[in-house]
């Protein structure tokens, strides 16, 4: 299933680069709706609100962690994240391409996490790519979100 998503995404990206935009597609409206809706869902700090913006076969590629595949696995990850932190993300769209029922976005981000137990504040800056799918109900949902920090990676022990 994961290979099918990634193959479809790669094929759609290739096709998007080789074809003209569809005349009846308003990329700016889709960009605003999909992008802004997803950022608002993240900043709701509510697991169910965020899950409503994700496809059933969502793939999260978070820095320093194994890939998380499927809504139930992502639910557990999000739930733990929201239980531990009050988060605020600012994402800036750098480019948005639409090809049929798929939309691809490059973005940068600034994230601020406040530890709910200690009050410690952690910030991060980075970049990522979102792949959205236009579902049958007319909503654009995130199928893949992969992001990475611009901060230097910490060396990890091989032991």
């Amino acid at each position: 299933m994961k290979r099918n998503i990634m193959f479809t995404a790669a094929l759609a990206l290739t096709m998007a680069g080789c074809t003209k935009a569809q005349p009846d597609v308003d990329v700016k409206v889709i960009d605003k709706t999909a992008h802004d809706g997803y950022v608002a869902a993240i900043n709701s700090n509510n697991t169910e609100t965020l899950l409503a913006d994700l496809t059933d076969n969502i793939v999260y590629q978070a820095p320093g962690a194994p890939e998380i595949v499927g809504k139930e696995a992502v639910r557990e990850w999000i739930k733990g994240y929201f239980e531990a932190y009050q988060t605020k993300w600012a994402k800036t769209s750098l480019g948005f391409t639409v090809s049929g029922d798929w939309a691809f976005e490059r973005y940068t981000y600034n994230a601020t996490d406040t530890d709910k137990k200690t009050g410690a504040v952690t910030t991060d800056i980075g970049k990522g790519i979102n792949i959205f799918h236009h579902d049958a109900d007319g909503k654009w949902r995130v199928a893949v979100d992969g992001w990475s920090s611009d901060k230097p990676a910490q060396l990890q022990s091989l032991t």
Side-chain angles (χ1 to χ4, degrees), residues 11 18 25 29 32 34 36-38 64 67 73-74 83 86 91 94 96-97 110-111 114 116 143 147 154 157:
L11 179 61
C18 298
V25 173
V29 170
K32 184 161 181 56
D36 291 356
Y38 185 44
E67 188 171 68
V74 169
E83 285 174 354
Q86 177 71 30
K91 289 188 175 189
L94 299 177
F96 212 88
T97 301
N110 274 308
T114 304
K116 289 183 175 180
W147 65 100
Q154 299 295 321
S157 171

Side-chain angles (χ1 to χ4, degrees), residues 1 18 33 38 42 46 55 57 79 86 89 123 130 150:
M1 181 73 144
C18 298
T33 303
Y38 185 44
I42 293 168
N46 180 283
T55 62
N57 53 357
K79 182 180 173 194
Q86 177 71 30
W89 283 66
T123 61
N130 284 328
D150 287 347

